[in-house]
Amino acid sequence: MDTHSSHLAASNRSRSSQSPSPSHSASASATSSIHKRKLASEDHAPPFPPSSFSADTRDGALTSNDDLESISARGGGADSDSDDESEALGDDDEDFDHDSSMRNFTAARLDNSGGSAAASARNSKLKTENLTVKIENSDSAKDGGGNAGTGTVGPTSSVPGIMVKEDATKIFTDNIQTSGAYSAREELLKREEEAGRLKFVCLSNDGIDEHMVWLVGLKNIFARQLPNMPKEYIVRLVMDRSHKSVMVIRRNHVVGGITYRPYVSQRFGEIAFCAITADEQVKGYGTRLMNHLKQHARDVDGLTHFLTYADNNAVGYFIKQGFTKEIYLEKDRWHGYIKDYDGGILMECKIDPKLPYTDLSTMIRRQRQAIDEKIRELSNCHIVYPGIDFQKKEAGIPKKLIKVEDIPGLKEAGWTPDQWGHSRFGTLTASTENAKKHLTNFMRALLKSMHDHVDAWPFKDPVDARDVPDYYDIIKDPMDLKTMSKRVESEQYYVTFEMFVADAKRMFANARTYNSPDTIYYKCATRLEAHFQSKVQSGLQAGAKIQ
Ligand SMILES: CC(=O)SCCNC(=O)CCNC(=O)[C@H](O)C(C)(C)COP(=O)(O)OP(=O)(O)OC[C@H]1O[C@@H](n2cnc3c(N)ncnc32)[C@H](O)[C@@H]1OP(=O)(O)O
């Protein structure tokens, strides 16, 4: 018999999927019809040289061009009428809640002052405190020892107002994500395996009834998911004894699998088919399957690489499994061994000699843990401080004056009083107290000047919603001279002159937002603003020092 004569399958072999992953359906439908896969040999020529073919068949294995008649009758016989079986495989009653296990990763922020002596001292102190729970009221931190008049500040206790979480493990689980989406899915499936609800098996056509039933189930999934691949061709390879199939079995039903041929002498394997039943896709089975395959191929077959012709719409999946379009494997190790295709993309995956493929999640978790511990050595980002009390009274004036030094955690983060940023006040020393008084007087004078202006009447009081019912629907941040005056008199609100100017500008902008240019309100706003600006200008020139 001519072993190359069964080109009936070869001429139109294509693996384009019928029901690609939901998340990729758009691209899949666009590509599946045009990227039909064909053996390069087409109808007449063998797909690869007979010499390499015969070398492969030293163990009597079938290849794509072997005659179908030589396929195991047990497997082939079950082919035609069992298509529906694959549908029955997708029991939904054990759906896993993958979403719940997906968490957002909050990147820990490294303390950039970690290298300094001060920082190390601080860190070692905090590490010690890490062992105990320490909760202080932030108010006590604000009040304790602070002296606004002299500028000596705040807390006297070592780390006031800090709430350090109880133990390292708890911090780890509470604050830091223990696993990403990838690991979460892997862990979930691993637990299912450990509980015996899920298993991964690697089989070939060994004649054992149960195995044959699974292989037929897998063949049916391939037939459905790779509709452009001739069914006879699928049967032939799945039942070929030189091919192996790694399968996901749940409740004794096949959920999906990968059929591959290990070329042991060449130490690489060719993935022929890979599919998960339609309603179980994008739940992590494909990934776990691939991990089991890699582990088995490395540890049992001694393989170092996988090659496959990936359907265009499955390239994304293979990339996520570590496959590349670049082929690094020396050509003489694979050329002539695997079938060439038109369409599809040849991809390669190097199997790592050490990675624990079926327990990657544990490895990743340990790595995260190690990184987390290192971050906590270098920074304080795991310490949670109480928030600032932002309670306000009338006119948005804070109920309690908060000094910068009293902001919980600020000093511990490396802040020092010389880092005042954009504040034009500087520290609350006696001289800046003078500056503060000076500023208050200047703002008072500006307010009075505006108040006395002929165009000030629309701005003297807050707009009354009874008079203008839709005003507060449009103006979300209202301002008026009375509110500004209260803020000035509180001597707490306007800690910078810019804040005062910003309020005035907002007041004028509001008037021009709500009213049209032809209205008196709009015109008053423009004239009063010009007056205000000239007063600010002349006041500053006359030496009204703001700081
Ligand atoms: C050599 C060949 O056999 S090529 C033909 C491949 N088979 C098919 O196309 C048949 C139809 N598709 C399927 O059977 C399945 O979707 C498979 C086998 C491709 C993937 O199995 P799944 O169980 O769905 O994969 P799994 O849930 O582990 O997903 C792993 C990742 O790949 C992504 N992915 C899955 N399928 C695809 C795809 N077709 N294209 C791009 N990305 C994909 C998933 O979104 C997921 O990404 P994430 O980790 O960022 O969340």
Side-chain angles (χ1 to χ4, degrees), residues 92-348:
D92 274 342
D93 49 357
E94 262 192 81
D95 268 1
F96 310 128
D97 180 11
H98 294 284
D99 290 345
S100 66
S101 52
M102 295 190 193
R103 296 165 214 148
N104 294 323
F105 179 68
T106 309
R109 199 160 46 89
L110 283 171
D111 180 350
N112 58 10
S113 63
S116 71
S120 359
R122 185 175 76 243
N123 288 324
S124 56
K125 178 181 70 180
L126 290 167
K127 275 179 84 180
T128 318
E129 286 173 0
N130 208 3
L131 302 171
T132 56
V133 183
K134 185 170 181 181
I135 302 175
E136 287 183 27
N137 189 325
S138 58
D139 280 357
S140 68
K142 284 178 216 152
D143 296 335
N147 183 332
T150 62
T152 51
V153 288
T156 50
S157 65
S158 58
V159 193
I162 299 177
M163 184 172 67
V164 180
K165 290 203 177 177
E166 209 155 348
D167 81 44
T169 326
K170 192 162 186 310
I171 289 171
F172 182 68
T173 49
D174 279 4
N175 282 1
I176 308 217
Q177 181 195 32
T178 51
S179 56
Y182 176 91
S183 294
R185 283 192 313 228
E186 280 280 291
E187 272 170 5
L188 199 75
L189 293 178
K190 194 171 144 228
R191 279 202 297 275
E192 291 295 303
E193 282 175 68
E194 284 161 0
R197 290 188 286 270
L198 193 69
K199 65 180 170 187
F200 289 81
V201 295
C202 182
L203 299 172
S204 58
N205 179 353
D206 56 10
I208 296 171
D209 284 353
E210 186 181 43
H211 297 174
M212 300 312 290
V213 170
W214 287 340
L215 285 175
V216 170
L218 180 62
K219 180 267 301 174
N220 289 338
I221 291 173
F222 288 153
R224 289 207 158 225
Q225 294 304 313
L226 310 166
N228 294 319
M229 188 70 76
K231 286 184 179 174
E232 298 84 349
Y233 183 74
I234 295 174
V235 177
R236 196 168 57 162
L237 262 58
V238 171
M239 295 303 170
D240 169 21
R241 289 200 168 90
S242 67
H243 283 73
K244 289 179 161 188
S245 295
V246 177
M247 287 180 270
V248 196
I249 313 283
R250 206 179 67 192
R251 293 189 168 180
N252 215 30
H253 286 303
V254 186
V255 173
I258 295 175
T259 293
Y260 75 105
R261 175 166 181 177
Y263 290 96
V264 176
S265 63
Q266 304 306 109
R267 303 188 69 203
F268 83 91
E270 180 193 9
I271 293 176
F273 313 119
C274 164
I276 298 291
T277 193
D279 49 3
E280 300 292 352
Q281 290 176 11
V282 203
K283 292 182 179 177
Y285 287 115
T287 301
R288 188 120 188 98
L289 185 67
M290 188 63 81
N291 284 334
H292 272 280
L293 170 70
K294 287 175 186 169
Q295 183 122 346
H296 178 92
R298 180 189 63 196
D299 298 348
V300 178
D301 303 327
L303 308 186
T304 60
H305 289 76
F306 270 116
L307 291 177
T308 191
Y309 273 95
D311 277 354
N312 291 292
N313 57 34
V315 166
Y317 160 76
F318 281 104
I319 287 175
K320 287 186 174 175
Q321 307 309 316
F323 283 72
T324 59
K325 293 180 190 169
E326 294 77 32
I327 308 299
Y328 299 103
L329 187 63
E330 308 86 61
K331 203 165 181 184
D332 56 353
R333 271 179 69 185
W334 60 270
H335 191 62
Y337 283 82
I338 66 168
K339 282 74 74 181
D340 293 329
Y341 293 95
D342 289 339
I345 294 162
L346 184 62
M347 297 184 80
E348 172 193 297

